[in-house]
Amino acid sequence: MIELENVAYSYGGGELLSDISVKLAPGSFHFLTGPSGAGKTTLLKLCYGALLPTAGQVRLFEAEVRSMGRADIALVRRRIGVVHQDVQFLDHLPVADNIALPLTVAGRSDEAAGGDMADLIGWVGLEARAAGLPPELSGGERQRAALARAVIMSPEVVLADEPTGNIDWEMSQRLLTLLVELNKMGKTVLVATHDLGLIRAAKAQVQARVLRIANRRVQLAGADL
Amino acid sequence: MRVNRAHLRDLLIGDRQADRVVPPTGFTARLTVFAAGAMAFLAVFALALSLAAGRLADRWGSELAQTATLRIVAPTEQRAAQTDAALRVLEATPGVVTANAMSDAEQIALLAPWFGTNLPLDTLPVPRLIELITDDRFDARGLSLRLAAEVPGAVLDDHTRWRAPLISAAARLRVLGWCVALLIVAAVAAMVTLAANTALAANAQVIAVLRLVGATDSYIANAFVRRFTLRALAGAAGGTFAGLVAVTLLPTGSATAPGLLTGLGFAGAGWLVPICVPVVAGLVALVATDLAARRALERLS
């Protein structure tokens, strides 16, 4: 589904990631952890074609990312839902329209008026906020809105970069529950986080593998997590 | 740039939802519309000047090209004899279709604006005028040489001396008008490019969000291109309408005294030219914004 093979990524003359090989199998749940600045966000961006590797191969749904044009990458992104820590919205559009944005850009905006949309907004608990504008949302609400936006196209993969970084513990648990539910629906999930408590909480609910970035390389984390 | 039929249809028809992804920018939008309107207004005047100059050049060219005037400058007692001699020469000259010696009454009418109608023509050394209508075979130089030998008091004026610089000036004025119109088109392109670049730079976050959710560059570019094209089209339509009203309100010259300033405007099929101004402005805005958007998206990728 998403496969990185001997991938390296350099930036500003220095190598940030080196010899990374990761395979996200369908329906798997992975955590990506490591200290700040270790390259978690960079690795995630490699996983959805926002960055191109300086060495090695990144395959997105069997296609090598360097052989893809920008239009192809845009189409692939419709199959990958992404949630960032500092979520960005179109602040002039209501929350519901922001959640429906992937449908809009895919030319399927008519689907946004259906019951599925209402169900999705209910699933993330934003019924009361759907008509408001994004700047009116709290941190947790923004993350949930971002998650709803990430999954509205029913993507095969969900990537989340520090999704609980700006929210309290209770809200983190709620968001984690949503991610676990997505995984149980068959979605492949990769969550980059340095929150070990979140990882432990997740492992109680789902079969999750933990990848740790250290010294520019990725390794499977030990059982202590 | 790929402007195929589907691309144009997407641009013109658009998608109401897609149009909303670019935030409204009130002041910039109004400035773009105003600038396009002002440019179109000026373009209408430049085109009116150019077309009027063209008509004037054509009129001067066609009305005077096939005519010439022969002046018989001779003492009063010899004037009639020299006039007859000149007419005989003209009858035998190839290319002279008609030669008409003006009567006293016709000459008095010609001089009336300066000397009044009671001019004692017989007591004044006023030359006799012979009006010639010629065709393509007419050789002015050959006729002048023959007249110099046979009618010493005859002076041939084929109007070239004063007609040529006027026609040349009118032709240059026509070119100047088109140059001004082209400069205005270039200014519209520059203005729209600047406005589009500003809008794209100000909306870098919007572009990042759209890309994150799977928008293609064409989708993003079209959202901006459509907006700026429609603004330029609307502004130019308003400016063109105002320009046409202003041109219509200009004083018009009479048929007997046509002039450049009083004849400024459009005639016949010329009315179709200013109608093209908004279309050209829209096309220029489309191309300029499309290029600017694709460059910006390349830069932001």
Side-chain angles (χ1 to χ4, degrees), chain B residues 32 35 91 103 161 173 196 238 245 259 265 285:
Chain B
T32 310
E91 277 173 19
S103 64
R161 188 165 44 88
L173 210 54
V245 170

Side-chain angles (χ1 to χ4, degrees), chain B residues 22 31 43 45 51 59 110 143 198 233 272 289:
Chain B
V22 179
L31 273 183
F45 272 90
L51 293 179
R59 191 162 64 230
L110 270 182
L143 179 60
T198 306
L233 199 63
L272 294 175
T289 316

Side-chain angles (χ1 to χ4, degrees), chain B residues 2-286:
Chain B
R2 288 163 291 142
V3 183
N4 55 33
R5 193 176 295 175
H7 188 66
L8 270 177
R9 189 193 58 221
D10 286 350
L11 278 173
L12 295 174
I13 298 171
D15 173 349
R16 203 175 62 81
Q17 288 294 328
D19 287 344
R20 295 175 63 217
V21 301
V22 179
T25 46
F27 186 61
T28 314
R30 283 195 293 275
L31 273 183
T32 310
V33 173
F34 171 76
M39 294 293 182
F41 186 85
L42 294 174
V44 168
F45 272 90
L47 291 171
L49 175 71
S50 181
L51 293 179
R55 286 197 304 274
L56 201 62
D58 290 345
R59 191 162 64 230
W60 284 340
S62 62
E63 285 181 359
L64 299 174
Q66 305 291 313
T67 64
T69 305
L70 195 64
R71 285 199 317 275
I72 308 296
V73 186
T76 311
E77 62 276 13
Q78 294 177 21
R79 201 185 299 159
Q82 291 213 19
T83 300
D84 291 341
L87 287 171
R88 282 194 298 277
V89 169
L90 291 171
E91 277 173 19
T93 302
V96 175
V97 179
T98 63
N100 174 41
M102 297 181 82
S103 64
D104 285 350
E106 287 171 325
Q107 294 209 180
I108 287 171
L110 270 182
L111 295 170
W114 290 273
F115 299 105
T117 51
N118 298 321
L119 187 68
L121 205 61
D122 50 342
T123 62
L124 289 172
V126 176
R128 174 68 64 199
L129 299 179
I130 300 175
E131 198 177 26
L132 308 183
I133 305 293
T134 60
D135 62 23
D136 293 338
R137 293 172 301 152
F138 181 64
D139 174 15
R141 182 168 168 74
L143 179 60
S144 293
L145 291 172
R146 192 174 167 199
L147 287 169
E150 298 182 24
V151 191
V155 178
L156 179 67
D157 178 4
D158 66 351
H159 308 150
T160 306
R161 188 165 44 88
W162 63 273
R163 190 184 50 156
L166 282 177
I167 292 175
S168 172
R172 286 184 185 188
L173 210 54
R174 173 163 51 179
V175 172
L176 188 67
W178 280 107
C179 285
V180 170
L182 285 176
L183 278 175
I184 289 170
V185 168
V188 168
M191 178 269 297
V192 171
T193 301
L194 282 174
N197 274 333
T198 306
L200 286 157
N203 286 297
Q205 182 191 324
V206 170
I207 292 169
V209 170
L210 291 172
R211 279 189 160 154
L212 186 70
V213 299
T216 59
D217 282 4
S218 293
Y219 180 91
I220 299 169
N222 283 357
F224 285 92
V225 169
R226 197 162 41 239
R227 181 163 291 188
F228 279 93
T229 301
L230 293 178
R231 281 177 193 168
L233 199 63
T240 301
F241 178 74
L244 286 173
V245 170
V247 165
T248 309
L249 292 177
L250 285 174
T252 53
S254 66
T256 54
L260 178 61
L261 288 175
T262 52
L264 196 65
F266 301 100
W271 283 101
L272 294 175
V273 177
I275 291 171
C276 295
V277 169
V279 179
V280 171
L283 284 174
V284 166
L286 186 151

Side-chain angles (χ1 to χ4, degrees), chain A residues 70 74 77-78 89 92 97, chain B residues 20-21 205 211 214 217:
Chain A
R70 288 217 299 273
R77 281 189 196 160
R78 296 178 188 177
F89 292 106
H92 62 288
D97 287 357
Chain B
R20 295 175 63 217
V21 301
Q205 182 191 324
R211 279 189 160 154
D217 282 4

